[in-house]
Amino acid sequence: MTTVIPYGRQDISEADIQAVVEVLRSDFLTQGPAVPAFERTLADYCGAQHAVAVNSATSALHIACLALGVGKGDVVWTTPITFVASANCALYCGASVDFVDIDPHTYNMSLERLAEKLAQAEHAGKLPKVVIPVHLCGQPCDMAGIHALSQRYGFKIIEDASHAIGGKYRGEPIGNCRYSDITVFSFHPVKIITTAEGGMAMTNSAALAKRMQLLRSHGITRDVNDMTHAPDGPWYYQQIDLGFNYRMTDLQAALGLSQMQRLDEFVTRRHAIARRYDQLLADLPVVIPWQHADGYSGLHLYVIRLKLGEIVKTHRQVFEALRAAGVGVNLHYIPVPCQPYYEGLGFKAGYCPEGERYYAEAISLPMYPGMTEKQQKDVLSALTEAVR
Ligand SMILES: *Cc1c(COP(=O)(O)O)cnc(C)c1O
């Protein structure tokens, strides 16, 4: 039986385990000191003024949309090549979603398609309220370009940086929100650092941070200044909005804080693995990831595209051959508008042709800090065999 090389995997140290155990022995399992400490550490690392920790990136996207006022009658745009959560967040708010096709080189939302679609939408009187670019595989989107369009057309920006913590755009950390209103990170175990489940919303706006803090905890405030009248007594709190329980626990925050100490090491290691893949795959009929000079990718994923014109097998056959050889390949992502739920909303195959071409050729190779040289060689052998 071959052991499977997973496509992604967390890296948990003895120090990470000790950090969680310490919280278990402390007075607070949740709503203690670890969450604000993790938030401060991330804000400082990214150079953002505020960080709001929540129980997932999905929750962060939801309250980010709400904080920006997304509601019924509004439209939110994102990319078709992303995890469904980047689009679902708008639907949670009663808004509708639309998709901007991808760039054929970076696989991120195309700036040209965005500019075209905005010109058409302005004409039709249906401009988006929020645009959610996704830094696919960790490679930053053209944020300066998207920001310039936001100034012209008046939309807000949420960066879905679930793949991109530890990366940089034009020399500055992703998450500093220089070109956006809010940036969201995910700490799911396959991502770059983990809290098991968890997410964070970064912003430089005190008002947006305050609103997201309210929404993550039932819409309840204990701040007298936000109450409609003086407290009835020392027990008093007020619910002033309809919020959720989206809080991160102290156990998760302690794990995240501990993982932050190795974030740069993780990303450096991912770059070394990617460079090695680039060399190993040079002679195979595949397109290796192209990196824009403006970005330093977090390299959450290493996605190749098959040159199907030079391969006898189909995309699916290559994928299945790799899985059969114990290589835990994956496909990021099925275009969101092709999901049955979105087809139910009126989207059809052919809506995002560039994204669909990508989907027909893409394969995510295993990529995680603990991956060995031997495992990379095994991936190469399996791939060489699979495309023969
Ligand atoms: C993982 C992921 C999410 C959702 O993150 P969770 O923390 O699992 O909710 C959202 N967007 C993208 C692009 C992701 O990869």
Side-chain angles (χ1 to χ4, degrees):
M1 163 85 202
T2 40
T3 52
V4 174
I5 304 171
Y7 91 85
R9 187 184 153 74
Q10 70 274 15
D11 186 314
I12 300 295
S13 68
E14 208 42 52
D16 293 340
I17 293 166
Q18 276 315 312
V20 176
V21 169
E22 263 175 47
V23 173
L24 280 170
R25 295 188 200 285
S26 78
D27 292 335
F28 298 98
L29 301 187
T30 191
Q31 295 177 282
V35 170
F38 184 34
E39 289 173 334
R40 198 64 257 150
T41 298
L42 223 70
D44 291 346
Y45 179 88
C46 294
Q49 280 172 28
H50 309 276
V52 180
V54 286
N55 58 0
S56 73
T58 303
S59 302
L61 287 164
H62 183 193
I63 61 173
C65 283
L66 288 174
L68 290 171
V70 173
K72 240 197 185 74
D74 293 326
V75 188
V76 172
W77 291 2
T78 189
T79 166
I81 301 300
T82 184
F83 186 55
V84 291
S86 317
N88 289 345
C89 56
L91 303 183
Y92 296 159
C93 304
S96 62
V97 177
D98 205 349
F99 300 92
V100 181
D101 208 354
I102 62 166
D103 176 276
H105 303 292
T106 62
Y107 316 144
N108 282 328
M109 174 185 286
S110 156
L111 191 68
E112 291 71 35
R113 294 294 87 74
L114 178 62
E116 279 169 20
K117 201 174 167 79
L118 284 165
Q120 288 163 5
E122 185 178 45
H123 206 249
K126 286 199 302 196
L127 283 168
K129 178 136 189 172
V130 172
V131 173
I132 307 181
V134 179
H135 306 311
L136 191 73
C137 306
Q139 164 143 265
C141 294
D142 187 343
M143 290 312 301
I146 296 170
H147 182 257
L149 289 171
S150 78
Q151 298 296 100
R152 171 153 172 213
Y153 290 100
F155 58 84
K156 305 284 184 192
I157 301 172
I158 301 171
E159 290 172 71
D160 184 343
S162 293
H163 298 182
I165 196 169
K168 293 189 171 78
Y169 176 68
R170 297 192 172 174
E172 294 179 1
I174 291 173
N176 71 357
C177 301
R178 180 182 291 283
Y179 299 101
S180 63
D181 297 280
I182 297 170
T183 301
V184 167
F185 293 126
S186 171
F187 309 124
H188 183 277
V190 296
K191 308 287 165 76
I192 294 170
I193 61 166
T194 189
T195 61
E197 296 279 2
M200 191 84 78
M202 318 299 295
T203 183
N204 292 320
S205 157
L208 288 175
K210 191 168 178 183
R211 187 127 171 78
M212 291 192 287
Q213 283 156 358
L214 193 71
L215 290 168
R216 78 171 160 188
S217 197
H218 309 284
I220 281 174
T221 184
R222 290 175 188 278
D223 184 341
V224 177
N225 299 311
D226 296 328
M227 293 184 185
T228 55
H229 58 78
D232 294 351
W235 63 84
Y236 197 64
Y237 57 82
Q238 275 190 350
Q239 185 189 343
I240 56 171
D241 204 334
L242 183 62
F244 311 89
N245 181 351
Y246 280 173
R247 293 186 306 261
M248 177 180 278
T249 67
D250 273 44
L251 297 167
Q252 292 167 304
L255 177 55
L257 252 179
S258 181
Q259 288 256 300
M260 277 301 286
Q261 295 188 21
R262 291 186 295 147
L263 169 57
D264 290 341
E265 188 185 315
F266 287 157
V267 176
T268 305
R269 179 81 192 110
R270 286 174 179 275
H271 276 262
I273 293 167
R275 269 199 306 276
R276 190 139 187 280
Y277 266 141
D278 289 349
Q279 290 161 6
L280 293 174
L281 305 180
D283 298 327
L284 293 185
V286 301
V287 179
I288 60 173
W290 181 80
Q291 302 290 333
H292 193 288
D294 276 353
Y296 174 73
S297 177
L299 269 170
H300 165 52
L301 298 171
Y302 188 93
V303 172
I304 58 166
R305 286 178 73 163
L306 303 180
K307 294 180 180 169
L308 288 169
E310 301 171 30
I311 302 170
V312 179
K313 290 202 186 90
T314 64
H315 178 233
R316 181 175 175 158
Q317 284 170 332
V318 172
F319 191 99
E320 285 175 341
L322 287 164
R323 281 269 177 100
V327 178
V329 286
N330 221 312
L331 209 173
H332 300 91
Y333 291 91
I334 305 157
V336 179
C338 298
Q339 293 288 356
Y341 186 81
Y342 281 83
E343 287 178 344
L345 299 175
F347 293 100
K348 289 188 183 69
Y351 193 73
C352 294
E354 201 59 55
E356 289 168 37
R357 268 194 287 283
Y358 163 91
Y359 175 56
E361 300 171 353
I363 296 179
S364 307
L365 297 185
M367 160 68 101
Y368 49 94
M371 192 173 191
T372 63
E373 294 206 351
K374 163 82 168 56
Q375 286 173 322
Q376 272 198 287
K377 280 223 175 96
D378 290 348
V379 172
L380 173 72
S381 311
L383 186 60
T384 307
E385 189 62 31
V387 298
R388 259 235 298 256

